Amino acid sequence: MSDEAEVNGPHILLVEDDEALGGEVRRALLAQGYEVTWKRTGAQAEAIDPAHYQLIILDLMLPGTHGFDLLKQYRQISDVPVIILTARKDTFDKVRGFELGGDDYMTKPFWPEELIARVSARLRRPVIQREAGRTIGPILIDAASRRVEVDGEEIDLTRVEFDILAVLAERVGMAMSRRQLVDRVLDADREGTERTLDVHVSRIRKKVGDEAAAHVETVWGVGYRLVEEPKRKG
Amino acid sequence: MGLRLRVVVMLVVLVVPVTVAFSSWRVGAERRVRQERAAERAAERALARPRVLQRCLQDPEAFAINRRNLRARAVIDAGDAARLSGPNPPALDPALWARFATSGEGIAHQWSWRGDRAGASIVRVGDGDGPCAVFWVGWPDTSPRLAAATRRSILLEALALLLLLVATGAIIAAPLVRRIRRLTEVVVADPLHAISDHDAAARELRTGDEIGALARALEARTTQVKETIAELQARDQTLKEYISNTTHDLAIPLTVLQHRLMGLKDATSRGEAADVEVIERALEESHYIAALIANMSAAAKLDAGRAHTTRHPVNLGELVERVAARHQPIAAQKDVEINWAAPDDLIVLGDSTLIEQAVSNLVQNAIQYHGGGGHVAIVADHADGGRFELRVLDDGPGVDEATLPRLTERGVRADASRTRNPGGQGFGLSIALRVFDAHAWRFDMTSPPGEGLTNIITGPAQPPGSLAGQAAT
């Protein structure tokens, strides 16, 4: 009997024969708001249609069926992301898994949070955002026309300042290192270094105002990131 | 069947029948020649004498000579109805008569090995067609004796030949058999002992013939077997050590974990609220056990040598993300903030399992040594010259200048530090060092006072875009 939960959210297929582990994973996924279908045997897993799911979590060691065979079967008709679970750390297995079309690999033991993080990573929108307009909180960044607005008001930014915001906006929520930003945005010969970058960012923060500036986070040891939900200070 | 016997038997089987057959044929041919000559002589001497001729002419029909070594009849009515004279004439073989008629040599012979072993000749003694011009001569029936003599001589010949061949075969085969026996003895005595160690057999290695080639092949095989055995023994040893170390080193934290859980159980069954701190400690312990297992597995892999490490494209960005996610729960518990950044097109060549474990160990150490509260950052970047740079930094207490160089000392197996502080600075770091070493990457640690600890790893990266469809962790 398969377990289906009536929850909105991406539908995930879990193929795992171990009752305890399967139960834990399902619980963790449901708590994140995902819909979960849990198949416990190779035969059940063979019968599903991968097109119904946004992501598949697949245990390699199923009794009687090898996970790789299931993976091959799914890949024949679908490109749905697959995260492979196994207790074996053999790199050879990993490479084989990727060759067969697996997208990610988790070795047991793992924390439930780890799995959730991988699942979110696989399900999130494609990393590079090249949409015409990107809204982060009160900030609107239009890459095509090179305009930035805060609460509807246009902000006057220099070329470099705009580029910095645009690059950060490509990966909202993910940090970029100072070096990466410098490589992408500054002309190293003339405009300089990571120090210069910090100066530019502080100018950006002044120009967009305190409320918007909270969305431009300094990331310790790394660089900067744009966030949807600024952290409460204090 | 031994080599000598085989050689001898083959020689005998090949040579003796051929020789016997040849001899018999030769003897037969000579015998015919002799008999032909005997008939000729008989014809010349006995029959051409005037007295004999006269006797014949007196009464041709009755002419007959029946001596022991000569039988003769006159051929009456030479022509188609030829017959022999005398009482009870033997049959005149038409084939012989025809041969005589057509030969034109004045003499024809017939012989046979079968029947009474006799033969006959027809010989012309005088000219013309009258009686007593052509005579039939029957050869004496000495065939049995001759045949017997012939048989005896051929048998003797065969026997002599046999003995000769046996001797020859034995003599030829003897040294070969001796060499092969010696080689066999050496190999059988101790299969793993090199042939070159035995003086007598060692000479064999330098001989040019097939036995020498065999000896060299055996020697090569022995060397191969020894190497394989040594390798297997080493692997076996590694595995034994791994198992014994694992069981031993895991026993400690597992015991601690059990104790903490027992403590929790007691407290809650007494009705007390569960102490979150105790639970957090228990979680840390199990996290530590997981890290320990991973490190021991990495150590076994490294010990087993190059054969067990693979090289494939590794996406450093994905690797960094996984490591950060893995340590997030414990970091959160200790109020440590983990941040990371990496480009999405940074590919390196290496063993993803080992690299991940190495980086994970550095992060674990960074978290471990925080008093609580603080930051850890993992940053991967492209570096100049097609290289990559991976930094793991923290704002913890750092390491003082004196200790720093010792930590990165090469060749520190850290067996001692394993038992004292497994998973901690000692073991985890030593695994990381070995992994970077195995990839020929550069590793540096800096710890300026008040600025925590920074680990920097650099190495060659794959050209971006060269492995577009193959990026994998």
Side-chain angles (χ1 to χ4, degrees):
Chain A
M1 185 180 73
S2 71
D3 285 21
E4 311 241 7
E6 297 299 322
V7 180
N8 283 331
H11 194 170
I12 298 179
L13 171 69
L14 169 64
V15 181
E16 171 63 62
D17 68 297
D18 187 285
E19 276 297 323
L21 180 62
E24 285 299 325
V25 170
R26 178 171 164 275
R27 210 185 331 275
L29 289 171
L30 286 176
Q32 286 296 118
Y34 297 116
E35 207 178 318
V36 181
T37 299
W38 179 12
K39 298 293 180 192
R40 290 167 178 74
T41 70
Q44 287 173 351
E46 272 168 23
I48 59 100
D49 179 2
H52 287 154
Y53 306 97
Q54 278 71 61
L55 181 116
I56 299 180
I57 299 174
L58 175 63
D59 190 325
L60 274 192
M61 299 288 157
L62 296 165
T65 315
H66 198 283
F68 282 150
D69 294 329
L70 281 173
L71 181 56
K72 272 192 266 198
Q73 185 187 317
Y74 295 155
R75 275 288 167 259
Q76 269 169 4
I77 46 179
S78 165
D79 284 329
V80 64
V82 175
I83 299 180
I84 296 171
L85 296 183
T86 182
R88 290 173 55 153
K89 273 198 183 348
D90 206 347
T91 313
F92 176 76
D93 258 13
K94 267 196 208 177
V95 176
R96 181 115 182 85
F98 287 118
E99 276 171 8
L100 287 176
D103 297 274
D104 213 332
Y105 203 99
M106 293 228 59
T107 48
K108 308 172 194 173
F110 53 82
W111 293 103
E113 289 95 331
E114 255 189 278
L115 181 59
I116 298 300
R118 305 310 302 151
V119 167
S120 322
R122 287 291 146 196
L123 283 175
R124 72 174 163 232
R125 277 173 298 190
V127 166
I128 306 298
Q129 291 295 320
R130 301 214 189 276
E131 292 169 5
R134 185 83 173 84
T135 309
I136 302 105
I139 310 173
L140 167 70
I141 302 174
D142 188 335
S145 59
R146 294 184 69 85
R147 276 165 51 93
V148 171
E149 285 178 14
V150 172
D151 287 328
E153 265 189 59
E154 183 172 352
I155 308 290
D156 184 24
L157 297 172
T158 66
R159 177 194 73 79
V160 172
E161 287 161 1
F162 179 84
D163 283 340
I164 291 173
L165 271 183
V167 166
L168 286 175
E170 284 173 5
R171 296 159 151 229
V172 174
M174 287 180 60
M176 290 196 78
S177 68
R178 283 192 172 80
R179 177 164 182 152
Q180 254 180 297
L181 285 166
V182 166
D183 283 348
R184 290 277 310 262
V185 171
L186 298 182
D187 181 347
D189 290 339
R190 270 192 307 132
E191 288 158 306
T193 66
E194 298 180 5
R195 274 267 62 115
T196 326
L197 180 72
D198 291 341
V199 168
H200 283 297
V201 172
S202 100
R203 284 210 204 112
I204 292 172
R205 281 187 173 135
K206 268 203 212 88
K207 288 186 184 176
V208 299
D210 283 344
E211 202 207 323
H215 290 263
V216 182
E217 279 187 354
T218 305
V219 181
W220 187 93
V222 178
Y224 298 99
R225 92 178 125 218
L226 270 178
V227 291
E228 301 268 13
E229 304 281 330
K231 281 210 270 273
R232 306 247 137 240
K233 299 280 184 190
Chain B
M1 198 194 259
L3 199 58
R4 266 187 302 218
L5 189 56
R6 197 187 289 266
V7 167
V8 160
V9 164
M10 273 186 0
L11 277 176
V12 165
V13 162
L14 282 174
V15 174
V16 169
V18 167
T19 315
V20 165
F22 179 69
S23 299
S24 303
W25 173 82
R26 197 172 44 84
V27 162
E30 279 171 11
R31 190 185 144 207
R32 281 196 288 279
V33 168
R34 263 203 313 273
Q35 283 172 332
E36 282 167 23
R37 290 223 192 89
E40 280 173 31
R41 263 200 311 275
E44 284 163 22
R45 285 200 242 115
L47 296 172
R49 286 208 315 255
R51 256 193 295 146
V52 171
L53 282 173
Q54 260 175 0
R55 190 152 58 99
C56 175
L57 284 167
Q58 273 172 4
D59 188 356
E61 290 284 344
F63 179 77
I65 301 181
N66 268 325
R67 289 211 285 272
R68 193 168 55 90
N69 58 347
L70 181 70
R71 287 188 295 156
R73 299 295 164 101
V75 176
I76 312 289
D77 291 338
D80 283 337
R83 60 186 167 85
L84 295 180
S85 66
N88 296 323
L92 172 60
D93 192 333
L96 177 59
W97 182 242
R99 209 179 304 143
F100 172 76
T102 54
S103 82
E105 284 171 16
I107 188 164
H109 309 281
Q110 186 186 57
W111 49 83
S112 70
W113 287 106
R114 297 181 294 276
D116 57 1
R117 305 274 184 98
S121 304
I122 297 187
V123 58
R124 177 174 289 280
V125 169
D127 297 325
D129 283 332
C132 305
V134 181
F135 284 88
W136 177 97
V137 179
W139 301 343
D141 197 5
T142 57
S143 320
R145 229 180 46 216
L146 199 57
T150 313
R151 261 202 311 270
R152 252 203 316 278
S153 86
I154 290 183
L155 238 72
L156 280 171
E157 204 178 279
L159 201 61
L161 196 57
L162 187 78
L163 291 172
L164 181 64
L165 290 176
V166 168
T168 310
I171 292 173
I172 293 177
L176 294 175
V177 168
R178 209 179 17 249
R179 285 168 68 191
I180 294 177
R181 281 234 184 95
R182 194 169 47 206
L183 207 54
T184 313
E185 269 166 23
V186 165
V187 172
V188 161
D190 186 351
L192 289 182
H193 218 109
I195 294 174
S196 49
D197 287 342
H198 293 78
D199 297 321
R203 254 181 287 130
E204 207 61 67
L205 290 171
R206 290 189 290 276
T207 324
D209 65 6
E210 285 86 346
I211 297 184
L214 178 63
R216 285 189 288 278
L218 281 171
E219 184 80 327
R221 183 65 68 88
T222 305
T223 314
Q224 239 175 20
V225 167
K226 272 161 70 170
E227 281 171 9
T228 307
I229 289 183
E231 205 186 291
L232 288 173
Q233 277 173 341
R235 245 188 265 176
D236 192 46
Q237 189 60 25
T238 305
L239 190 62
K240 281 202 195 115
E241 274 178 29
Y242 174 73
I243 291 175
S244 107
N245 284 333
T246 309
T247 24
H248 174 260
D249 294 340
L250 279 176
I252 302 165
L254 273 172
T255 311
V256 172
L257 183 60
Q258 277 176 319
H259 281 210
R260 298 205 196 279
L261 289 173
M262 275 306 279
L264 262 179
K265 173 175 165 285
D266 287 341
T268 46
S269 50
R270 280 198 296 269
E272 294 167 22
D275 185 348
V276 171
E277 225 186 82
V278 177
I279 296 178
E280 283 180 349
R281 289 290 106 68
L283 273 173
E284 273 177 46
E285 214 65 42
S286 56
H287 185 90
Y288 170 99
I289 292 172
L292 188 58
I293 294 177
N295 273 328
M296 309 221 87
S297 167
K301 231 179 158 193
L302 287 162
D303 285 341
R306 305 236 88 219
H308 284 259
T309 59
T310 59
R311 285 186 101 60
H312 60 274
V314 178
N315 184 317
L316 264 192
E318 286 188 18
L319 188 148
V320 166
E321 188 177 349
R322 293 152 78 85
V323 172
R326 176 169 311 136
H327 291 276
Q328 192 53 50
I330 289 298
Q333 223 170 261
K334 299 187 108 187
D335 205 18
V336 170
E337 187 182 296
I338 299 187
N339 294 308
W340 65 274
D344 34 296
D345 62 347
L346 186 52
I347 315 285
V348 300
L349 269 186
D351 185 316
S352 63
T353 312
L354 288 177
I355 301 172
E356 201 170 306
Q357 194 53 40
V359 176
S360 183
N361 286 347
L362 294 178
V363 173
Q364 172 129 4
N365 287 350
I367 297 173
Q368 206 81 9
Y369 286 87
H370 263 294
H375 303 85
V376 173
I378 318 170
V379 186
D381 278 311
H382 290 282
D384 296 329
R387 293 172 71 74
F388 77 90
E389 185 184 273
L390 177 59
R391 274 173 290 141
V392 177
L393 50 152
D394 65 64
D395 57 1
V399 179
D400 65 66
E401 240 186 271
T403 331
L404 202 53
R406 268 203 311 119
L407 289 178
T408 51
E409 232 163 62
R410 288 279 187 80
V412 175
R413 275 285 322 256
D415 287 309
S417 66
R418 168 149 77 227
T419 32
R420 235 187 300 120
N421 193 10
Q425 197 79 298
F427 188 41
L429 183 58
S430 79
I431 293 289
L433 288 173
R434 289 177 68 188
V435 168
F436 302 142
D437 216 32
H439 287 80
W441 289 346
R442 219 190 115 136
F443 177 69
D444 291 297
M445 290 172 104
T446 64
S447 184
E451 290 186 24
L453 176 69
T454 301
N455 304 279
I456 307 179
I457 307 135
T458 53
Q462 299 294 100
S466 67
L467 294 147
Q470 274 194 57
T473 312

